[in-house]
Amino acid sequence: MEDRVRVVIAEDSVLLREGLTRLLTDRGHEVVAGVGDAEALIKTITELHDQSALPDVVVADVRMPPTHTDEGVRAAVQLRRAHPGLGVLVLSQYVEERYATELLAGSSRGVGYLLKDRVAEVREFVDAVVRVAEGGTALDPEVVAQLLGRSRKQDVLAGLTPREREVLGLMAEGRTNSAIARQLVVSHGAVEKHVSNIFLKLGLSPSDGDHRRVLAVLTYLNS
């Protein structure tokens, strides 16, 4: 059982909204509200804030009524500005780089972007919701791959080795050093060495403390 989190779901498909609710409540989490459009989402969060009852995280579709273009992600960006401590996890049918970049432009803390196909991997999806609720990052590997492809054209990451780029990409997905070690089938110490080299090459000094990991990911995503 993960730590219990409070969630608001914004998804215009009633079937998917109910499915997400079931997935989360079956894991012991509380779905505070479910809404079908961006306007209702903002209204709900505003009312909960006024009641001093903000949820830990919002799970929102990128595209919602009335135009089914970018209402969901725009609402997510607006909510992050108004409530910096609110986690936001957006779901998308396809990788839409512009929306991912817009959502991540401010900070990578408490933010996630997953493809809807990932919901079928129940444990991975629920883990992502909890991670974002707790201030972590959850980025779909496909999103990271596209952003990495774009970043290869930039000079800021030119000094990283292919393996260091791979480690930084996994960091951007929100993975811990232990999870990266398992993914790459290397030792924990090897990952720590790669992470230290990444910090050094990106000019992130030890004085930046625990924020170095976030700063490294932001450098990667904004490059």
Side-chain angles (χ1 to χ4, degrees), residues 5-97:
V5 299
R6 300 174 66 250
V7 187
V8 168
I9 298 174
E11 167 59 58
D12 63 294
S13 166
V14 176
L15 185 61
L16 181 54
R17 188 166 71 238
E18 292 301 320
L20 294 175
T21 299
R22 180 65 180 271
L23 287 180
L24 292 166
T25 55
D26 281 354
R27 291 277 183 173
H29 303 298
E30 179 185 359
V31 176
V32 180
V35 299
D37 60 69
E39 182 178 349
L41 171 60
I42 293 174
K43 180 181 179 181
T44 297
I45 295 300
T46 300
E47 291 174 349
L48 289 171
H49 175 263
D50 292 342
Q51 299 166 15
S52 299
L54 270 179
D56 301 301
V57 60
V58 167
V59 177
D61 192 355
V62 166
R63 299 170 181 258
M64 288 196 291
T67 68
H68 293 279
T69 54
D70 60 358
E71 285 88 350
V73 73
R74 292 203 176 281
V77 171
Q78 181 178 334
L79 289 174
R80 279 177 62 77
R81 289 172 180 163
H83 311 287
L86 177 66
V88 174
L89 173 62
V90 299
L91 303 177
S92 179
Q93 192 69 40
Y94 310 102
V95 177
E96 301 180 86
E97 185 178 317

